[in-house]
Amino acid sequence: MSTTRTTCPYCGVGCGVTVEGGVPRGDREHPSNFGRLCSKGAALKDALNLPDRLQQPMMDGRAASWDEALDRIATEFTRIRDTHGPDAIGFYVSGQFLTEDYYVANKLMKGFIGSGNIDTNSRLCMSSTVAGHVRAFGEDVVPGCYEDLEEADLVVLVGSNMAWCHPVLYQRLMAAREKRGTQLVNIDPRRTATADMADLHLPLAPGGDVMLFNGLLVHLVDAGKVDRDWVSEHVAGFDEAVAAARATAGSVELVAAATDLDPTDVLRFYDSFARTERVMTLYSQGVNQSANGADKVNAILNCHLATARIGRAGMGPFSLTGQPNAMGGREVGGLANQLAAHMGFEPESVDRVGRFWNAPQVARTPGYKAVDLFEAAADGRLKAIWIAATNPAVSMPRADLVRDALRACPLVIASDAWPTDTTALADIVLPAAGWAEKDGTVTNSERRISRQRRFCAAPGEARPDWWMFAEVGKRMGWREAFAFETPAAIFREHAALTAFENNGRRRLDLGALATLDDAAYEALEPVQWPCPASGQGAGNSRLFARGGFSTADGRARMLPLAIRADAKLAGFPLILNTGRVRDQWHTMTRTGRIPHLMTHSPGPRLALHPRDAMLRGIVDGGLARVTSAQGQTSLRVEIEPGLRQGQVFAPMHWTDQFASSGPTDRLVHALTDPVSGQPDLKGTPVQVVALSETWRGVLLRRRDGQLSLGDDGLWSKAPIATGFRYELSGLTALQALIDSERTLRQLLQIDAAAELISYADPKKSVFRYAGLVDGKLGACVFFAAPQAMFPEADAASALLGQPLDALKRLGLLAGLEAGPQTPGNIVCSCMSVGEASIRKAIREHGLTSTAEIGALLGAGTNCGSCLPELKKMLALNVIENGVQA
Ligand SMILES: Nc1nc2c(c(=O)[nH]1)N[C@H]1C(S)=C(S)[C@@H](COP(=O)(O)OP(=O)(O)OC[C@H]3O[C@@H](n4cnc5c(=O)[nH]c(N)nc54)[C@H](O)[C@@H]3O)O[C@H]1N2
Ligand SMILES: Nc1nc2c(c(=O)[nH]1)N[C@H]1C(S)=C(S)[C@@H](COP(=O)(O)OP(=O)(O)OC[C@H]3O[C@@H](n4cnc5c(=O)[nH]c(N)nc54)[C@H](O)[C@@H]3O)O[C@H]1N2
Ligand code: SF4
Ligand SMILES: [Mo]
């Protein structure tokens, strides 16, 4: 049986995966995960062969050949470039590209079409970190590595829900903590699964991070913790940075008041940071996705630079990257404000890259950043846009404007592996080969390059992204520049460019990899850069301990940072925070099609603080309308005491394909950080009002398809093993729906010939209908008053597609099939163990540890992603039932 070693396609931890007999498992030898996978990684087996793949190029809604599609793109691009200039064309690509895809797309746009207009979803993800790194270090370099987490004595997590978003790395941290007692501080307005595990949680007012870290800098100076010798040798701007910090955050009381934190907690954090030499500050989207994201990054870097806690074992600032190849995209220069290989648009770099590519018309200026790119498409400046491996109709702020932009733009091309809200608006849809079907490399959060290897054939006509861009390049007349035959050839060219006239000026140097032959590329083991041809400093996992920053004078920069006033908007008194849930990946094209990954968070929810809910007369599980200056939607509410009052939270994942509420980004404002251009996705002013729900329902069907619920019907969809489960609700009388047999038949997807059976108990507002095709259950729908739970639906789902005898029919309609108590929301998705079962077992068996839960129920014994939730339930049991843990 052949074994393939590859990398997980989800988050930036970059876990190694071995595939044997078509079954992916954690790679025990990979230095990211040593065999572990999280719930998403553990479900990779189910991500192979998912339904609905795009398999054929489509033009204007009809199937086309690759030749037709690529020729039309090349002809149109050439015409547009000749008529309107190169800046009338834009590419919007993705951190889910492999480095090789990215390299070719960047070369085509910046080198040959001759515009800077290629930007990526990394603009929404990492660009504040890139800007912060460049301002402080002179180059976008992550100074540390994963092992540092295991060697630190204090880990500060800022704006990161690592337990859910970087679970395997989080498990490594937890394992190290067991051994060395690592202290954990979590800085997040929301009490997340990560905060639950922290020694200290600072629920700061949103946006308070610069204030908090300015205050920390002042405290470090006053506590005598500055490494004066190191700073005088390796840092510039110390005095200015400290003066600005003192002017804004001169005392703990001031900081506490401005961030709405308890002064004792602030002091506890400052003291432990000052006291502990080995401190790591990990951060992600609570830092990056802000109107002052770059300043937040530099506020953190300032504290590490002042104390020389950088590039040494167990210390340093560390940005947790989101996408599997967020880093690779930064390396090739996929952001509109970078040119290539960590070079910007200085004339010297433009000249160097131009000579390397043998391209006479390299872009000389940065292009549009994501938000501007779609504005340019909306107002006619862009005549063509090519979107690949990202779903901006869902994931961009002001998503409705993005949709309008796609409708307005004369030529929209989208490459994806599944149909999405974005491909629905494209003139040309190109079917992409996905994970398992293509070869290349990705770079994880710690600068480690790993191979993704192909082990399946792509379905139908699907092709790798690099091939599509190269084909268009050739067809536009640049045959030689795009004559790539393999990903290995692309990688060699990319590696050579990083080394070209580098002379130690850029830390990104892959010179040693530029000469890999095809066999060596095939066999490439995970490797951390720098990897210069000279071998000097090769594979250094820690950088900058002895200075040597990539600035002209070799010194790092500390920055003076001002405090930004928060944006208040009359009529929108609450702040909408957005982010992720444990088992979903972004716009759900893969994870939303895997039944057991939909059980942990089965539908979109708006989390509300109990007091904000009470003030609005909203109950747990009730419906609410959320409105912002950008748009509005209706969502089911979950009361969450772990929120700050005044803040609401909604996941970013759901789309028009999965729920009537559609993308949360319809509500989100497009305010951007002035330095990085990254949108403030965590801070949209909104208003929330109660909606009165008149009925609720659950529909089970074999097949997906249109739902005929009338104008005000709300729904969300989840795949189940036997078909699809829809949660329904209404705002007007149910009668209109159930009085029409036609509507009912449409809902149940049965024609007039099929048998429709029903049960009604109007006094209790209970109505049940089922459609039978050839005696087998095709679909059923249960309606009841709001607040109903529908346990009978879980039982009925097993009957879908099964023949129903008279007894089963009766049972189904009478709701007798409910069976044993429902497991509740699934907490452990690997072992399918639900919240209700776990709580019951803890209570009845007096369980006090996750190990005991594991032994009894199996929960938490596989990937470990649910361990934080299990610990929380154990703790809650102590509080609720007075049991000693
Ligand atoms: N399960 C899952 N994992 C993923 C992904 C996924 O889709 N699903 N996506 C991957 C990607 S691309 C990314 S970028 C990462 C993101 O990983 P994270 O950044 O950990 O995830 P988020 O949920 O976006 O946001 C993190 C936290 O920022 C907090 N926050 C909001 N405002 C502020 C603030 O002003 N200050 C501070 N300090 N905190 C604030 C939020 O409350 C939230 O808990 O996850 C990666 N991993
Ligand atoms: N409100 C709010 N919005 C956010 C965020 C937030 O926290 N809050 N987070 C932002 C962040 S950090 C990120 S990273 C973005 C993510 O947002 P997106 O990038 O839009 O999300 P994905 O669903 O990952 O989109 C990837 C697409 O690529 C497709 N795909 C998969 N493999 C391949 C392939 O090999 N080739 C091609 N061509 N296509 C492929 C998938 O089917 C999917 O449609 O969302 C951003 N938007
Ligand atoms: S932590 Fe999970 S999603 Fe991230 S790379 Fe590892 S297995 Fe994949
Ligand atoms: Mo991201």
Side-chain angles (χ1 to χ4, degrees):
M1 204 159 26
S2 78
T3 306
T4 310
R5 292 178 69 209
T6 183
T7 318
C8 175
Y10 298 118
C11 86
V13 175
C15 295
V17 172
T18 53
V19 186
E20 222 170 30
V23 182
R25 291 200 179 82
D27 180 351
R28 287 176 193 283
E29 270 147 48
H30 196 284
S32 294
N33 56 322
F34 301 104
R36 274 192 174 276
L37 293 175
C38 74
S39 51
K40 297 179 298 300
L44 277 173
K45 181 174 180 294
D46 308 301
L48 301 169
N49 308 315
L50 286 176
D52 312 330
R53 278 292 296 270
L54 297 173
Q55 303 206 16
Q56 166 109 49
M58 302 289 290
M59 291 205 308
D60 308 319
R62 65 167 179 91
S65 69
W66 273 110
D67 272 334
E68 275 179 282
L70 296 166
D71 281 340
R72 176 156 158 222
I73 297 170
T75 312
E76 282 294 296
F77 280 3
T78 305
R79 186 188 60 76
I80 294 168
R81 187 165 170 268
D82 291 346
T83 326
H84 304 279
D87 293 332
I89 306 172
F91 292 171
Y92 183 61
V93 299
S94 165
Q96 290 166 72
F97 260 6
L98 304 182
T99 299
E100 292 74 6
D101 300 321
Y102 243 131
Y103 181 82
V104 178
N106 191 53
K107 180 178 182 183
L108 176 58
M109 180 51 82
K110 295 206 184 109
F112 289 82
I113 292 178
S115 164
N117 284 346
I118 170 170
D119 209 37
T120 130
N121 62 1
S122 286
R123 181 70 57 198
L124 316 181
C125 183
M126 306 308 311
S127 58
S128 294
T129 289
V130 175
H133 282 163
V134 171
R135 291 200 297 184
F137 308 149
E139 185 179 352
D140 175 24
V141 177
V142 174
C145 61
Y146 291 166
E147 270 175 20
D148 288 329
L149 261 101
E150 293 162 335
E151 301 199 15
D153 293 314
L154 169 66
V155 170
V156 183
L157 282 154
V158 196
S160 159
N161 186 6
M162 193 184 182
W164 281 9
C165 295
H166 299 90
V168 166
L169 204 51
Y170 184 75
Q171 294 300 331
R172 278 179 68 173
L173 173 60
M174 288 299 115
R177 188 194 201 193
E178 291 277 301
K179 288 199 200 117
R180 66 185 295 145
T182 321
Q183 290 291 299
L184 206 66
V185 175
N186 181 233
I187 301 167
D188 191 315
R190 206 165 54 110
R191 193 171 181 93
T192 60
T194 309
D196 282 333
M197 302 292 279
D199 299 289
L200 177 64
H201 172 222
L202 298 178
L204 86 176
D209 307 79
V210 174
M211 187 74 184
L212 189 64
F213 280 87
N214 272 1
L216 175 59
L217 182 60
V218 172
H219 184 87
L220 293 168
V221 173
D222 293 348
K225 293 295 172 184
V226 171
D227 186 333
R228 298 273 170 189
D229 292 343
W230 195 84
V231 167
S232 69
E233 208 175 330
H234 300 302
V235 178
F238 174 83
D239 291 336
E240 296 81 347
V242 173
R246 222 178 262 293
T248 52
S251 74
V252 167
E253 290 67 33
L254 218 76
V255 172
T259 53
D260 194 21
L261 291 169
D262 181 343
T264 338
D265 286 346
V266 174
L267 195 59
R268 236 179 102 197
F269 164 49
Y270 285 2
D271 273 340
S272 85
F273 197 108
R275 226 180 318 114
T276 317
E277 175 84 350
R278 289 179 169 230
V279 42
M280 296 269 307
T281 309
L282 309 186
Y283 60 93
S284 57
Q285 301 313 350
V287 168
N288 290 327
Q289 294 172 339
S290 324
N292 60 346
D295 281 1
K296 287 186 179 182
V297 172
N298 288 101
I300 293 169
L301 301 186
N302 277 351
C303 295
H304 281 272
L305 287 170
T307 50
R309 290 173 186 165
I310 186 165
R312 290 187 284 147
M315 47 188 110
F318 195 91
S319 130
L320 292 164
T321 55
Q323 297 176 88
N325 201 26
M327 291 283 272
R330 287 148 67 172
E331 289 153 18
V332 304
L335 289 160
N337 53 325
Q338 300 183 334
L339 178 54
H342 281 194
M343 286 175 274
F345 288 89
E346 320 77 46
E348 183 200 354
S349 299
V350 171
D351 170 65
R352 182 183 307 121
V353 174
R355 281 184 288 114
F356 181 87
W357 277 341
N358 198 11
Q361 46 228 345
V362 173
R364 284 168 195 281
T365 48
Y368 297 126
K369 295 173 181 157
V371 169
D372 307 331
L373 188 72
F374 285 95
E375 263 171 22
D379 68 20
R381 278 171 290 158
L382 277 195
K383 309 293 176 203
I385 185 167
W386 185 347
I387 298 163
T390 177
N391 188 3
V394 177
S395 59
M396 278 284 291
R398 232 171 18 179
D400 279 329
L401 183 126
V402 169
R403 289 164 188 236
D404 289 344
L406 298 182
R407 288 184 197 104
C409 187
L411 178 63
V412 177
I413 304 150
S415 345
D416 204 295
W418 282 274
T420 67
D421 291 4
T422 301
T423 60
L425 295 167
D427 303 294
I428 302 182
V429 179
L430 303 176
W435 185 75
E437 300 156 6
K438 61 196 255 190
D439 272 302
T441 54
V442 289
T443 310
N444 72 3
S445 297
E446 59 163 358
R447 285 179 273 113
R448 192 181 296 281
I449 300 172
S450 293
R451 280 292 320 272
Q452 273 202 13
R453 294 185 177 88
R454 183 183 130 104
F455 59 88
C456 291
E461 303 264 304
R463 294 277 189 284
D465 294 280
W466 65 264
W467 178 85
M468 303 179 206
F469 285 93
E471 280 301 310
V472 169
K474 282 192 242 176
R475 286 161 207 249
M476 289 180 79
W478 303 301
R479 300 226 143 253
E480 212 177 311
F482 294 96
F484 302 112
E485 298 273 333
T486 58
I490 303 167
F491 184 80
R492 283 190 287 268
E493 188 177 304
H494 160 59
L497 177 55
T498 64
F500 186 58
E501 298 175 4
N502 185 323
N503 305 320
R505 273 186 296 186
R506 287 166 270 130
R507 291 287 181 138
L508 174 68
D509 185 338
L510 311 179
L513 306 176
T515 49
L516 294 181
D517 60 21
D518 289 359
Y521 176 80
E522 188 43 45
L524 184 68
E525 287 291 319
V527 54
Q528 254 176 318
W529 61 260
C531 351
S534 68
Q536 223 180 4
N540 257 353
S541 45
R542 300 187 177 103
L543 301 171
F544 302 143
R546 284 188 295 277
F549 294 94
S550 310
T551 48
D553 58 7
R555 287 164 175 270
R557 298 285 182 274
M558 280 175 65
L559 263 67
L561 300 167
I563 306 298
R564 204 185 156 274
D566 14 316
K568 288 246 178 336
L569 207 55
F572 303 102
L574 301 169
I575 294 294
L576 171 66
N577 180 6
T578 61
R580 291 154 171 81
V581 302
R582 195 190 72 192
D583 291 351
Q584 287 305 320
W585 180 259
H586 297 158
T587 72
M588 303 170 68
T589 58
R590 284 166 288 183
T591 48
R593 288 186 166 85
I594 300 175
H596 77 271
L597 289 184
M598 280 296 254
T599 50
H600 181 255
S601 308
R605 296 286 184 266
L606 179 76
L608 265 185
H609 185 269
R611 214 176 140 69
D612 288 325
M614 196 186 70
L615 287 171
R616 290 167 173 76
I618 301 174
V619 294
D620 194 30
L623 290 178
R625 176 155 294 150
V626 199
T627 312
S628 75
Q630 289 63 238
Q632 65 167 35
T633 191
S634 305
L635 282 163
R636 194 167 296 293
V637 168
E638 204 166 68
I639 306 273
E640 202 182 294
L643 282 175
R644 284 177 58 86
Q645 196 183 342
Q647 204 182 45
V648 305
F649 180 87
M652 63 165 292
H653 305 291
W654 274 266
T655 74
D656 280 351
Q657 327 245 331
F658 288 92
S660 56
S661 54
T664 301
D665 271 304
R666 283 207 162 118
L667 300 168
V668 175
H669 62 189
L671 183 69
T672 55
D673 176 291
V675 183
S676 68
Q678 179 154 357
D680 170 35
L681 300 170
K682 305 280 192 243
T684 306
V686 295
Q687 177 58 298
V688 175
V689 298
L691 282 180
S692 64
E693 190 176 10
T694 44
W695 55 268
R696 197 177 280 188
V698 167
L699 167 68
L700 303 172
R701 299 203 302 209
R702 297 279 287 158
R703 283 173 290 117
D704 192 17
Q706 283 306 99
L707 284 181
S708 40
L709 290 178
D711 286 343
D712 61 358
L714 310 179
W715 59 272
S716 70
K717 170 179 92 183
I720 54 176
T722 47
F724 294 88
R725 179 184 196 275
Y726 306 79
E727 285 182 14
L728 314 175
S729 350
L731 304 177
T732 51
L734 177 63
Q735 226 54 42
L737 200 66
I738 58 179
D739 277 354
S740 154
E741 190 181 320
R742 224 183 99 232
T743 311
L744 277 174
R745 282 184 184 274
Q746 271 172 2
L747 210 54
L748 297 171
Q749 291 176 321
I750 51 169
D751 58 25
E755 192 181 352
L756 174 66
I757 57 175
S758 63
Y759 165 90
D761 183 347
K763 274 215 195 85
K764 290 194 183 142
S765 311
V766 170
F767 302 89
R768 301 195 179 101
Y769 303 90
L772 286 98
V773 183
D774 302 329
K776 290 181 185 155
L777 181 63
C780 57
V781 62
F782 308 114
F783 297 107
Q787 318 306 335
M789 294 300 288
F790 301 104
E792 65 272 30
D794 294 304
S797 63
L799 297 178
L800 274 187
Q802 299 297 317
L804 293 192
D805 59 24
L807 204 64
K808 279 193 175 136
R809 284 177 181 218
L810 212 65
L812 179 74
L813 291 178
L816 292 180
E817 287 280 347
Q821 199 196 351
T822 53
N825 276 9
I826 299 296
V827 171
C828 173
S829 51
C830 298
M831 302 293 171
S832 269
V833 190
E835 184 176 342
S837 332
I838 299 168
R839 282 178 179 274
K840 185 160 172 268
I842 294 176
R843 217 173 35 241
E844 291 179 359
H845 297 268
L847 307 184
T848 55
S849 70
T850 54
E852 287 171 6
I853 300 179
L856 193 69
L857 301 172
T861 54
N862 187 40
C863 80
S865 297
C866 62
L867 289 172
E869 284 151 277
L870 298 184
K871 291 214 167 128
K872 188 173 178 179
M873 282 183 234
L874 288 165
L876 278 176
N877 188 46
V878 177
I879 298 164
E880 287 163 7
N881 303 315
V883 182
Q884 201 51 51

